[in-house]
Amino acid sequence: MAKQKRSTNEPSYGEAAARLEEILQEIEEGQVDVDELSGLVKEAAELVTLCRGKIQAAEMQVKTIAEQLEREAPDAETDEDDAE
């Protein structure tokens, strides 16, 4: 499967999700200084937005492909009927 090109600054979904997990773990374990907390929360919010955008884009691609397959399906059935 071909990988899509992405901007050099934008993490992949997996990278963003992993970073979110790291941030959550740091906060839950009390490893975050109060001075750092707002910065981490802002970073987490940006990562959540990024992940949601990637999920929505993937859903749209899947929907488009599924609709395309549905449009092609009657043609395939007609070809099979003609072969009999």
Side-chain angles (χ1 to χ4, degrees), residues 4-65:
Q4 291 183 345
K5 292 182 181 179
R6 62 178 189 266
S7 68
T8 55
N9 295 335
E10 185 177 286
S12 69
Y13 179 86
E15 292 166 341
R19 179 62 183 141
L20 278 169
E21 287 291 330
E22 289 174 12
I23 292 170
L24 181 60
Q25 186 174 4
E26 288 176 21
I27 292 171
E28 285 178 343
E29 293 177 358
Q31 297 176 4
V32 178
D33 185 82
V34 172
D35 297 326
E36 294 178 82
L37 185 59
S38 65
L40 286 175
V41 169
K42 181 181 177 189
E43 181 184 358
E46 291 169 354
L47 290 168
V48 167
T49 300
L50 176 81
C51 288
R52 284 182 179 162
K54 289 181 178 288
I55 289 170
Q56 289 174 344
E59 287 174 344
M60 292 292 290
Q61 288 176 338
V62 169
K63 183 178 178 181
T64 300
I65 292 167

